[in-house]
Amino acid sequence: MSFLLVALLLILSLAACGSNNGNDSSTGTSTGDNSSSDSGNNGKAANDSGSSNAASGKEVVIKFPSYKTGNNVGAIFFLPQIERFNKKFAGKYKIEIEEIVQDEYSKKIKLLYQQKKLPPLIEVDKELADIMINNGDLLDLKPYIDNSPAIKDVLIDDSVKYNTDKNGKIVSLPLAFERPIGMYYNKQLMQKASLTGFSDTWDGFFSDLDKLKAAGVTPLSLMTGENGWTTMLLASAMIASDPEGQQILTKGDIVTNFNSPLWINTFTKVQKLLQDYTTKSALGATYSIAANEFFSENTAAIANGPWMVADFSNTDKAAEGFADNVGATIYPGGVALGSADGYWYSIPTGTPQGEVDGLIEYFKFIYSPEELNAFLVAEGGFAPKMPMPEESKAKLNPIMRQLNDEVGAKMKTLNRLIYDIVPQSVADLFAKNLPLLATNDMTPEQFCKAMTDTAEKFKK
Amino acid sequence: MYKYNKLWVYLFIVPTLLVFVTFYFVPIITVFTTGFTEWNGFNPPKLVGFDNYKMIFTDDNSLTVSLINLFKWSMIATFIHVPFGALVAFIIFKRPVGWRFVRGVFMIPNVIAVSAWAIIYRFIFNDQMGLLNNFIRKLGFSNFHTNWFFDMKYAFSAISFTWVFYAVIVTLLVLSDLMAIPKELHEAAKIDGATEAQIHWRINLPLIRGSLGTSVILSIIARITMFEAIFLTTKGGPGNSTYNISVMLYDGIINYQFGYANAVATIMIILGIGVLIITTKVFRMNKSVYN
């Protein structure tokens, strides 16, 4: 009988362990993994704990994932900036970054949202933002922004408008800067084809590519692996130079039908680029491979954002003096990419107040004149409401300066990327089908039809 | 006394039953029931009848492609993967010089995570810096360029290559069955004048059919659930050339279609049960090996 009692005690203790674990998980939320929409016990526990930490004068640790880590070019400025913040607010707030690759970031955030385990700071794409806004799961930043002139005064009006929902809540931190995405070219290789830059029209651009090819230079660094980034940028620029395309991108609604001449013509051109004007390695190439082709002077040009400029002088990636040989331009048709109409940092509701306060301090910090200027010097772009001081301008990389000049002189439209207006399923399919376009196993019509079918299939 | 023993039996079964119900039965029932709902993971599921299944079977060719790829991989598993593992077991069973070393080396890939293997193979099959292409170029084909995972012609084979020769589970299963065969049987056969080949064909093979059947089941089920090796290399592409039912399930989750994803999961479970039944029949696993 005593055996029986022992066995029963064992089972009961196991059950008790199980219930303890449950409590542990709610305690866990207080250390960072908080509930986004759950206003139940867990959320309350998290709130209480976060507030009590702040109130008791204990350092509040704010932990969130970021893709601007590791080899990501964004890490060069982002991580030291976090360190500067932690140093400034030592003893009060501490930000800890969890590393995640860029390609997987938005998927991870979606999964965490479904599990109600969102971190205190997230970047949302339009698709997820729409759902979270509808469910009231994003914290209203308006009261905090209204109380912080340091933030409010530098924000771009269009970005504030975009980030304000129908109830007047500001659901994501509006941008204070614009960073036009353009193209970079190798001046020496261009010179081989007697070119000093690319033409302002798409016909002229293709003719320039022909000239480069005739001179024995592979014109473009393209990629079909990962998310097909550099290829997608050129496709976005083509869409943005067409009046109908410009309208679609400006409107920003999610597109689910790609069976139109606009998309088919664009992907016909993309197919030509992949078949005639890029390296053999482009098939399946990741960003690092595409970039390496440019750094190794195997290709004449690459499309990317100004954050890439720092890499041109990085001797781990490019030869000494390579940066002196690089020029910058925007796309034909006066197109630059990277509109300020987009979502950026959001705080899920249910985030402990102590962490919210810390994040507001972080927003003030990154939008302070010193930090914002340092950011623009490091990663390019401009802040319309905060002109760059002369000393910062003097520090500006010549390639960035050239890009800024090009934007000032030629830009007719600064618009969104294709990925900003397509569902996740289409973005995934885009990268999966690009190799078929390159190898002629798929026609542009079939490519567009496949995107339409996928978008329709997962249409909510 | 009998009642007392029965109580003990039930008492020891309870924890196992609890674990099974909590971690297997309830999730399976949840998967099955939510397969009939529209559920985005944020809001409560809404009953939609067979809509998800209609979507799976009629909306596009995802299921057809997945099943065709599964069939091809199952054939590779049955006719290459399992025989290869069994062959290694037969070799080890004969205990030639260095058999322990072979067994150890054969074991290594299985202690490395599938995801790690996928990354390793991404580098092996990479066009620019890949081991394979560099070797081919070293052989004198200096202009050779193929990105194995991203070329429609080779992607399926490249994915198959990531698992086909890692058959240590098969080897261990078959080897344990081989070692369990009474020595007297072999000796008697030798006395009767049977050759080595005849011993293998007439005695060993029939007696290890249980482990061969188990290996086929495990191997095909591993193909049904194969995810990391595909997702970390081709993501099911190029096009749909390496698409499978696990990636189809993932697509449902990532596009907020939990009902759809769970309907796909139900199909996976049914496929698994089907494989179990068919293989059991084919290998007569429910009958004694001496029948």
Side-chain angles (χ1 to χ4, degrees), chain A residues 187-303:
Chain A
K187 292 180 207 167
Q188 269 180 2
L189 292 179
M190 295 285 278
Q191 225 159 27
K192 279 190 182 175
S194 308
L195 295 168
T196 51
F198 283 110
S199 170
D200 293 341
T201 65
W202 283 104
D203 286 340
F205 177 76
F206 275 92
S207 144
D208 293 341
L209 300 184
D210 283 328
K211 282 179 198 161
L212 282 164
K213 221 176 139 185
V217 176
T218 307
L220 295 169
S221 268
L222 296 179
M223 56 189 275
T224 68
E226 289 171 348
N227 57 3
W229 176 251
T230 61
T231 314
M232 185 274 300
L233 287 177
L234 282 162
S236 301
M238 288 173 194
I239 295 278
S241 1
D242 183 283
E244 185 196 341
Q246 202 178 92
Q247 218 177 0
I248 292 170
L249 290 173
T250 308
K251 208 173 166 198
D253 289 344
I254 295 290
V255 178
T256 52
N257 185 357
F258 303 89
N259 294 326
S260 70
L262 169 74
W263 292 95
I264 293 169
N265 291 339
T266 299
F267 287 109
T268 306
K269 285 181 199 157
V270 169
Q271 185 173 43
K272 192 169 169 55
L273 292 181
L274 286 167
Q275 289 178 349
D276 297 342
Y277 301 117
T278 191
T279 53
K280 282 178 178 155
S281 67
L283 193 69
T286 55
Y287 167 74
S288 56
I289 289 173
N292 189 47
E293 293 285 17
F294 184 67
F295 295 141
S296 313
E297 309 201 49
N298 294 333
T299 59
I302 187 167

Side-chain angles (χ1 to χ4, degrees), chain A residues 4-26:
Chain A
L4 190 66
L5 268 172
V6 171
L8 270 171
L9 278 172
L10 191 69
I11 291 167
L12 284 172
S13 63
L14 276 173
C17 282
S19 75
N20 272 343
N21 283 342
N23 287 338
D24 283 349
S25 72
S26 69

Side-chain angles (χ1 to χ4, degrees), chain B residues 218-271:
Chain B
L218 290 176
S219 185
I220 295 179
I221 285 175
R223 301 310 46 100
I224 297 173
T225 56
M226 182 162 71
F227 180 73
E228 299 102 312
I230 296 175
F231 190 74
L232 292 170
T233 52
T234 64
K235 295 192 176 176
N240 272 337
S241 55
T242 58
Y243 201 69
N244 80 341
I245 202 152
S246 293
V247 181
M248 198 173 162
L249 187 153
Y250 174 81
D251 279 350
I253 294 170
I254 218 66
N255 288 294
Y256 311 105
Q257 303 273 354
F258 277 40
Y260 169 89
N262 284 346
V264 173
T266 305
I267 294 173
M268 281 173 84
I269 293 169
I270 293 169
L271 280 172

